[in-house]
């Protein structure tokens, strides 16, 4: 199912109106210091009123069957508002991992509750080294003798890892990296929050001590699953980054119009004009890259993996540039913790590093190009 331009505009307007009411700066700052770092009531409203968790889940599993184009609109608005919710981990990571696994039984079991918002989920891949490369995974899974599996090891940088009802874990078996499902209340599972640069995106360290797990997909297929998930998640992250970058540009331009120095708006000074113009170029390029990658994904184009890597690299650079220039345009006040510019800068930096940082995603681009 694909929405036309008017439907996309209506979707954007509805999501923006919802987030302006539910995710203003004061709410974001409050949630940053709370546990859990999201409001369950708001999450329920996003599911019940807007059906956001099920937007890109196939209709056969209780979703609405839309694609990355529609999901990108939602993520741009969430990035713009720094929305604190388990949306990225649940919809972009866990749900996509289930779909990529090809395990219809697992999808039928888990996805309907994810689509309805009753279940939040996450994907645990990175360990102490922070790499999302399944070849670097050292956590191990072994058969328990009763037809099930047990997982041992430690995972780090697990988004919403302390609150997710379902945890999909990449662990190593004799066949290679493999995807497993672990329930929140499983015995031997311990979770602790991690203190990171960006408090608006909760992360956790998970310890698995002979935790009961269910095999998802084929044993040894974790590498193939993660390649597909990283492509899709990178485009989703790119949309979120583009939305945040657009917000930095808007706040910079607004401030440049109202802040006066030497009897005139600072936006009339050439240096400030140039900063805003450079930001605009970066933001427009980021939006174009992320939206094109989403379109290619929905068309099942063979060019999608390359476009996903390009979008990730382009939007990471654009968001960092916009966030830094936003601080510069705001001058002295922009350097204070009380100003929202810092929240966007921290999100920009953490997003840039989320899947491994510039060196890793440029290497991923070369790999997708076959170089």
């Amino acid at each position: 199912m694909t929405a036309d331009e008017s439907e996309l505009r209506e979707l954007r307007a509805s999501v923006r109106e919802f987030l302006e009411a539910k995710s203003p700066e004061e709410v974001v700052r409050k949630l940053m210091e709370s546990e859990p770092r999201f409001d369950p009531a708001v999450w329920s409203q996003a599911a019940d009123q807007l059906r956001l968790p099920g937007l890109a889940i196939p209709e056969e599993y209780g979703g609405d069957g839309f694609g990355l184009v529609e999901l990108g609109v939602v993520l741009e608005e969430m990035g713009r508002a720094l929305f604190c919710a388990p949306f990225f981990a649940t919809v972009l990571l866990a749900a996509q991992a289930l779909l990529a696994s090809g395990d219809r039984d697992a999808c039928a079991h888990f996805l309907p509750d994810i689509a309805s918002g009753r279940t939040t989920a996450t994907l645990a891949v990175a360990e102490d080294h922070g790499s999302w490369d399944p070849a670097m995974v050292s956590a191990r899974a072994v058969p328990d003798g009763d037809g099930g599996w047990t997982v041992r090891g430690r995972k780090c940088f697990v988004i919403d890892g302390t609150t997710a009802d379902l945890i999909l874990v990449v662990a190593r078996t004799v066949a290679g990296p493999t995807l497993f499902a672990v329930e929140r209340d499983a015995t031997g599972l311990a979770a602790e929050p991690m203190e990171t640069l960006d408090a608006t995106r909760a992360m956790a360290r998970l310890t698995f001590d002979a935790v009961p797990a269910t095999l998802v997909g084929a044993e040894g297929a974790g590498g193939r699953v993660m390649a597909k998930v990283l492509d899709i998640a990178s485009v989703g992250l790119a949309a979120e980054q583009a939305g945040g970058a657009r917000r930095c540009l808007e706040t910079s331009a607004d401030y440049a119009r109202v802040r006066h120095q030497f009897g005139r708006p600072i936006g009339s000074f050439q240096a400030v004009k140039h900063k805003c113009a450079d930001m605009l170029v970066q933001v427009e390029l980021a939006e174009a890259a992320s939206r094109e990658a989403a379109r290619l994904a929905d068309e099942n184009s063979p060019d999608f993996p390359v476009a996903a890597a390009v979008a990730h690299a382009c939007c990471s650079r654009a968001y960092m540039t916009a966030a830094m220039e936003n601080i510069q345009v705001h001058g002295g006040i922009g350097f204070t913790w009380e100003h929202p510019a810092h929240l966007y800068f921290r999100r920009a930096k953490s997003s840039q590093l989320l899947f491994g940082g510039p060196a890793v995603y440029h290497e991923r681009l070369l790999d997708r190009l076959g170089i």
Side-chain angles (χ1 to χ4, degrees), residues 75-320:
L75 286 162
E76 283 184 20
E77 293 304 313
M78 288 184 173
R80 184 178 184 275
L82 296 178
F83 185 46
C84 297
F87 187 86
F88 189 89
T90 300
V91 178
L92 267 296
L93 296 178
Q96 294 303 322
L98 286 167
L99 291 169
S101 73
D103 190 329
R104 295 183 63 84
D105 290 339
C107 288
H109 181 68
F110 294 117
L111 286 179
D113 282 345
I114 288 177
S116 68
R118 291 191 297 269
T119 293
T120 61
T122 190
L123 179 61
V125 182
E127 299 178 355
D128 290 336
H129 44 65
S131 174
W132 283 71
D133 184 350
M136 299 287 289
V137 167
S138 61
R140 301 198 68 84
V142 297
D144 63 4
D146 295 321
W149 296 78
T150 58
V151 176
R152 289 184 181 274
R154 187 167 76 165
K155 297 292 182 179
C156 298
F157 309 105
V158 181
I159 302 174
D160 297 307
T162 61
T163 57
D165 303 308
L166 170 67
I167 302 163
L168 296 174
V169 186
V170 176
R172 186 170 296 280
T173 70
V174 293
T178 305
L179 189 65
F180 294 90
V182 173
E183 302 284 352
R184 159 60 52 198
D185 56 0
T187 58
L189 174 63
E192 58 176 322
M194 296 181 69
E195 185 175 346
T196 60
L197 177 68
D198 177 20
T200 65
R201 199 191 303 276
M203 292 192 177
R205 182 180 293 106
L206 305 183
T207 303
F208 300 84
D209 185 7
V211 176
T214 302
L215 176 67
V216 177
E219 187 179 350
R224 175 185 59 79
V225 170
M226 282 306 303
K228 187 170 184 179
V229 170
L230 278 177
D231 283 343
I232 294 174
S234 294
V235 175
L237 181 63
E240 188 185 85
Q241 290 171 312
R246 171 65 70 175
R247 183 58 177 160
C248 289
L249 171 61
E250 291 172 351
T251 55
S252 293
D254 290 344
Y255 186 74
R257 294 186 189 99
V258 300
R259 177 72 169 97
H260 283 65
Q261 192 71 26
F262 305 110
R264 53 194 282 200
I266 63 171
S268 65
F269 293 109
Q270 191 175 51
V272 177
K273 286 182 181 179
H274 285 179
K275 287 186 180 296
C276 291
D278 290 342
M279 291 168 66
L280 176 62
V281 171
Q282 291 283 338
V283 170
E284 294 281 353
L285 182 60
E287 291 176 343
S290 67
R291 293 171 185 175
E292 175 67 5
R295 183 186 65 81
L296 292 174
D298 290 348
E299 294 176 354
N300 293 316
S301 170
D303 296 329
F304 168 62
V306 172
V310 169
H312 188 193
C314 178
C315 293
S316 294
R317 182 179 64 249
Y319 198 4
M320 279 302 303

